[in-house]
DNA sequence: CAACAAACCGGTTGGGTA
DNA sequence: TACCCAACCGGTTTGTTG
């Protein structure tokens, strides 16, 4: 009965592939995942999950995203945001949700267009790539970050708060109150992670597709 | 605006693989499929779709199924039924919906147990394989088949009827009113189709999994 | 234009029931 | 025990708003 979504405890800190699509026709949002999902069966990969173990929310991974939805999910206090690649016919989607102190980015699909700046050598090609990094909290509404908030993360129950705030800083963060510099560093660092993961994801998908088609 | 689900016209009559999972994270039931889904991109296969071009509804394909749900879907007058493999830990699911004159069986997943009687040489092993073929219409409730009904198929709008009736017979069916023999024949024929398709499905999934794991 | 938010949608769950 | 069915759930659509 209790929402056993916090079983995941998220001890892993980098990125991982999950599949879960070999089992269900759609595996949409069924309720309480009582059948603790046998993700790690290690089969055909469908989604790429990246955990951002830092105070960075939605990262600009070289692509431009458009937010098309936001929902409150069962196990978490924080809402989940849904993004779609801004390229007109690209089917890639992406979900971002905060879990404890980090953000879980879930990619799906393969970009059917040349990445705007996936390679570090050629960037700033696409000018429509909006570089505002925290898309989750709209720039006019990130009032959750009023001054400095305590580093609570899971206790309070506010199921209907609208925008993902700048997440609580990591446990040893009291000295980073003036931040902004550290945040930029982490942003750059995570950006590289996301780029690598995106490339890896595309490669694996290509292999799978070539195998079958 | 109009539910454009009848674009599919279903001119194909056998079986086909669709993927659609490379594009969406979950691709659950979103609403009107306005973006006429680019299924036939020919990529990694996820679901096996079999169209029963006959007056056979839910076929016993050698496995035993348990019905766990039934919903009215948008584009169709007929409800969609949801089945799960009756083997205790087997994750295979199956959807059945009537479309025009035929039934669309959508398989997903791979049986993690030896098939009860997949090979034609060794059958009737599992005695718990309930052989009542029309599971969709519960045996006590198939009152839609009262005598002979006209071969209408799409005009009337009865969105909240509960059980899938024996489908309207194919267009040249007036001579099969006393049926029951023809139906058995078609049943056998389709049963073979389903068995073959099931084997093919497993093979392809095995290849994909071996490739990645 | 993009984001918000509520309605929508289909797949799943779970209690009632036969 | 399996089915029915209504509530549930999460992902998507769509009208509204800025």
């Amino acid at each position: 009965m209790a929402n056993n979504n916090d079983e995941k405890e998220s001890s892993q800190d980098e990125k991982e592939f999950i599949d879960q699509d070999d089992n269900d026709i759609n595996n949409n949002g069924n309720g309480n995942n009582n059948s603790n999902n046998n993700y790690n069966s290690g089969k055909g990969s469908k989604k790429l999950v990246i955990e951002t173990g830092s105070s960075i929310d939605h990262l600009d991974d070289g692509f431009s995203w458009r937010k098309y939805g936001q929902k409150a999910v069962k196990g978490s206090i924080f809402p989940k945001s849904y993004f779609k690649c801004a390229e007109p016919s690209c089917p890639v989607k992406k979900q971002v949700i905060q879990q404890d102190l980090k953000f879980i980015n879930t990619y799906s699909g393969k970009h059917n267009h040349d990445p705007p700046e996936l390679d570090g050598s050629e960037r700033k090609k696409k000018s429509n790539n909006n570089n505002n990094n925290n898309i989750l909290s709209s720039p006019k509404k990130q009032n959750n970050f009023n001054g400095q908030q305590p580093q609570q993360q899971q206790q309070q129950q506010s199921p209907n708060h609208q925008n993902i705030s700048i997440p609580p800083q990591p446990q040893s963060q009291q000295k980073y109150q003036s931040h902004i510099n550290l945040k930029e560093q982490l942003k750059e660092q995570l950006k590289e992670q996301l780029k690598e993961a995106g490339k890896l994801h595309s490669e694996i998908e290509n292999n799978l597709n070539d195998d079958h088609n």
Side-chain angles (χ1 to χ4, degrees), chain A:
Chain A
M1 290 306 175
N3 33 10
N4 46 5
N5 218 4
D6 30 18
E7 295 175 358
K8 299 197 69 172
E9 289 290 333
S10 80
S11 56
Q12 67 275 28
D13 208 273
E14 277 301 328
K15 54 185 173 292
E16 56 175 325
F17 290 94
I18 64 179
D19 47 353
Q20 100 183 26
D21 253 324
D22 288 328
N23 294 341
D24 287 343
I25 289 184
N26 262 330
N27 175 57
N28 68 339
N30 57 348
N32 354 351
N33 35 5
N34 289 329
S35 63
N36 38 2
N37 26 26
N38 38 6
Y39 284 167
N40 305 324
S41 309
K43 306 229 177 51
S45 75
K46 291 299 130 29
K47 315 175 188 179
L48 167 64
V49 179
I50 305 178
E51 301 192 359
T52 77
S54 62
S55 56
I56 306 301
D57 48 357
H58 179 199
L59 238 298
D60 182 15
D61 50 357
F63 292 95
S64 51
W65 303 91
R66 179 164 51 238
K67 185 175 183 178
Y68 66 89
Q70 176 173 314
K71 282 273 292 190
V73 290
K74 185 96 175 310
S76 173
I77 334 167
F78 306 103
K80 181 184 286 186
S81 296
Y82 303 90
F83 297 89
K84 184 180 174 303
C85 182
E87 206 69 18
S89 65
C90 185
V92 175
K93 293 196 185 67
K94 172 190 199 172
Q95 303 179 354
V96 181
I97 190 175
Q98 181 174 354
Q99 184 183 74
D100 298 337
L101 299 169
K102 54 189 68 166
F103 282 87
I104 316 294
N105 292 43
T106 303
Y107 290 77
S108 80
K110 176 176 63 172
H111 296 276
N112 59 6
H113 55 95
D114 46 349
E117 53 174 40
L118 232 180
D119 197 356
S121 62
E122 47 177 7
R123 55 178 59 190
K124 61 186 61 53
K125 283 290 181 63
K126 311 277 233 180
S127 61
N128 59 351
N129 192 354
N130 48 356
N131 278 329
N132 47 350
N133 343 60
N134 42 6
I135 311 179
L136 283 181
S137 55
S138 61
K140 59 180 173 295
K141 245 191 183 179
Q142 50 182 354
N143 44 10
N144 295 57
F145 193 61
N146 42 7
Q148 62 271 26
Q149 74 275 32
Q151 60 273 24
Q152 294 290 353
Q153 76 243 30
Q154 196 77 10
Q155 278 77 3
Q156 72 280 21
Q157 271 286 351
S158 63
N160 49 2
H161 78 317
Q162 304 298 2
N163 50 353
I164 293 188
S165 65
I166 301 292
Q169 289 81 8
Q171 289 82 354
S172 62
Q173 104 295 15
Q174 283 86 349
K175 53 178 176 283
Y176 300 141
Q177 291 283 349
S178 54
H179 52 282
I180 299 287
N181 266 338
L182 173 71
K183 198 184 161 194
E184 284 299 325
Q185 290 179 18
L186 291 175
K187 226 178 282 185
E188 279 301 319
Q189 176 182 334
L190 183 55
K191 192 166 181 173
E192 292 306 316
Q193 285 186 16
L194 290 177
K195 284 182 183 174
E196 283 187 25
K199 277 189 281 191
L200 178 61
H201 192 209
S202 295
E203 283 176 9
I204 291 183
E205 280 194 348
N206 281 329
N207 288 339
L208 283 177
N209 298 333
D210 293 345
D211 176 59
H212 182 45
N213 192 8

